[in-house]
Amino acid sequence: MRRAVVPVCILAVASLVASAEALSGDDDGQCGVKLVLKNPDLQEASDGFIHASGWFFIQFQAVGPDADRVKSFAFSFGKAAPDGYANCNLGGQAVTGAYILNYRGDYTPDDGFFVPINTTLVRDDEYGAAVHAYDQPNAQGREIGRFYAKARVENGCAVMGCRDKTTAEILRQDKVMPWPRVLPGDGKQTNGEVKGLTIEFAESIKEVHAYINGNETPLAPWAGVPMDDDAIPGNDNQACSPVPAPACVKRVWGPAFQSEVMPAQNEIIRVVAVDLNNNRVEKIIHLLDPTQGGIVSGDDVKIDVSVDATTKAVGTGQQGEFKFTFVSLSATEAHVNLPAEFDQNSLEGGFFPNHVVVPPGGRAHASLFLTPKSHIQDGDFAIKATPTWRSQGQDVSKAFELTLVVGKGGPVGTGAGNATANETAGAKAASGEGGVPAPGGVAVGAALMAAVVGARRRRA
């Protein structure tokens, strides 16, 4: 299928992430209704830029008071404006002469706000973007929110369209995880012909697994939803006929899958996928979690997390248990995901459950169970547990450094471990399987793999 190659067309990809440019009196890039990018590895780095490569879906959310007024998202992109040049004149020109206004958008909030991005259409450089929220569909009506961002595209390409690199070379530069759209979960199941779960990607992948309440559900290939792939603003949710390509192009960006199992309202969906450059994503969605969709009206969520001991000792072949307690310090329900990292060649196990709901002002409990494998007789093994939840449109993580001592005597406790102060924006995907059954392989065909000119991973 033909693809419109437009200068800077890819910039949007990296730019629509968090804030960067100074706005008259506001240093977070925000104007009006707060807008956020949900992808955990597309967040502003310490240098003030978002680092992007390859192809991917970006997921937007409108957060806080007045978020329910947002009916559509759009973004504008171009060369990065000088610091201080951006302004909060909502409804006016984003930045005169610097941006292509409303280059791409999503006008259907029911199934979440998602936009596919291809960063390989431009050469490596610094770019800027303005992301807009409107109170009417199709980027019409009144602009009620905007944020500005700066991004660095990093595909190793010196010319437009990455014509100086092969597909394999571009693939090796991919550092962005294959963030999926999961329905229901990220929004309502709006694909009327599907009676169960659907999962869509914007790039080729080599492995995908889906779990409902910890049980793997079989996935079958699915046609997917065609999305915009041209440079014409404002036509994202319109059929191309009779407008010909390349002025109007719609296509399915990557592989899509479906399950005949429809998750119930209180169940937990977990999707694990790996792209062609081994970037891994783990997305956990509780179908009662109000922080998952495109519109999030929740308040600041504060949770106190503690563990009964940071060091546990077990005999050879015995199971160790780290007991975690979660106490709500706010008036909003909290949904906490529980990833854990450890040496899987030496230990096995994970959190049970791997997702807890903490009621307003209440508490919840979960345990991290770990057992040394049969060939391990003794040793000290480091574990990192990172409880993570959403608060005002951002991921908040509290990390615990734990130790399991094997074969060196009876139980050892070093005292309760309170939540550390190293809160981070963006949860790192767990390297362990979180105590659920090990997945069986689901491979994506070579034809799909060849269709992608980029892939990505690792957080910048």
Side-chain angles (χ1 to χ4, degrees), residues 30 53 84 148 157 159 163 166 171 198 202 222 231 250 258 313 317 374 376 378 381 400 429 434 446 451 453:
Q30 293 285 347
S53 53
Y148 292 94
C157 303
V159 301
R163 294 186 297 273
T166 66
L171 179 62
T198 58
W222 177 56
K250 302 290 186 292
Q258 67 174 340
S374 58
I376 300 297
D378 56 57
F381 299 92
F400 293 80
V453 184

Side-chain angles (χ1 to χ4, degrees), residues 222-244:
W222 177 56
V225 177
M227 293 188 179
D228 197 57
D229 189 25
D230 57 52
I232 305 302
N235 70 344
D236 300 67
N237 292 92
Q238 301 173 5
C240 285
S241 179
V243 181

Side-chain angles (χ1 to χ4, degrees), residues 2 12 22 29 51 81 106 151 181 187 219 255 306 314 342 347 367 451:
R2 298 182 64 184
H51 295 255
D106 188 337
R181 179 166 74 164
L219 296 176
S306 61
V314 298
F342 51 87
L347 306 176
S367 288

Side-chain angles (χ1 to χ4, degrees), residues 170-181:
I170 296 172
L171 179 62
R172 286 194 291 270
Q173 295 294 318
D174 179 23
K175 302 295 189 299
V176 179
M177 65 177 62
W179 192 247
R181 179 166 74 164

Side-chain angles (χ1 to χ4, degrees), residues 342-394:
F342 51 87
D343 180 4
Q344 296 188 47
N345 293 319
S346 302
L347 306 176
E348 56 187 353
F351 269 103
F352 182 83
N354 64 4
H355 179 99
V356 296
V357 179
V358 189
R363 63 178 56 218
H365 303 275
S367 288
L368 175 58
F369 296 100
L370 293 169
T371 304
K373 292 192 174 182
S374 58
H375 66 281
I376 300 297
Q377 300 301 309
D378 56 57
D380 296 359
F381 299 92
I383 305 111
K384 183 177 181 180
T386 315
T388 303
W389 60 93
R390 298 283 288 182
S391 176
Q392 295 186 320
Q394 300 293 333

Side-chain angles (χ1 to χ4, degrees), residues 38 59-61 106 108-114 180-191 196-198 200 262-265 269 283 285-296:
K38 191 172 180 181
Q59 183 179 5
F60 296 106
Q61 290 181 312
D106 188 337
T108 55
D110 286 351
D111 55 3
F113 290 111
F114 285 79
R181 179 166 74 164
V182 181
L183 300 177
D186 287 316
K188 298 178 182 178
Q189 178 55 273
T190 54
N191 301 296
L197 180 73
T198 58
E200 300 166 85
M262 173 59 81
Q265 181 63 12
I269 303 168
K283 191 171 191 177
I285 300 173
H286 184 199
L287 289 188
L288 286 181
D289 187 349
T291 69
Q292 295 296 333
I295 307 298
V296 181

Side-chain angles (χ1 to χ4, degrees), residues 49-180:
F49 287 81
I50 295 158
H51 295 255
S53 53
W55 298 20
F56 48 84
F57 279 132
I58 48 175
Q59 183 179 5
F60 296 106
Q61 290 181 312
V63 177
D66 294 329
D68 56 356
R69 296 169 56 204
V70 176
K71 305 303 180 187
S72 62
F73 268 97
F75 67 78
S76 311
F77 70 90
K79 293 296 294 181
D83 287 348
Y85 189 57
N87 63 74
C88 279
N89 180 22
L90 291 178
Q93 184 68 23
V95 178
T96 303
Y99 291 90
I100 299 176
L101 189 62
N102 296 337
Y103 160 73
R104 187 163 288 164
D106 188 337
Y107 312 135
T108 55
D110 286 351
D111 55 3
F113 290 111
F114 285 79
V115 172
I117 296 296
N118 175 8
T119 63
T120 68
L121 295 178
V122 296
R123 60 176 174 267
D124 287 11
D125 205 343
E126 296 179 1
Y127 299 96
V131 180
H132 317 268
Y134 296 92
D135 64 359
Q136 296 295 326
N138 297 344
Q140 298 171 354
R142 191 163 68 93
E143 185 185 15
I144 58 177
R146 182 193 301 167
F147 77 78
Y148 292 94
K150 294 188 294 187
R152 288 192 172 119
V153 172
E154 298 172 341
N155 289 308
C157 303
V159 301
M160 302 301 296
C162 285
R163 294 186 297 273
D164 55 334
K165 298 294 181 181
T166 66
T167 299
E169 289 172 330
I170 296 172
L171 179 62
R172 286 194 291 270
Q173 295 294 318
D174 179 23
K175 302 295 189 299
V176 179
M177 65 177 62
W179 192 247

Side-chain angles (χ1 to χ4, degrees), residues 32-56:
V33 174
K34 183 178 180 181
L35 310 179
V36 301
L37 183 65
K38 191 172 180 181
N39 304 52
D41 60 343
L42 290 177
Q43 305 294 324
E44 179 184 305
S46 58
D47 61 1
F49 287 81
I50 295 158
H51 295 255
S53 53
W55 298 20
F56 48 84

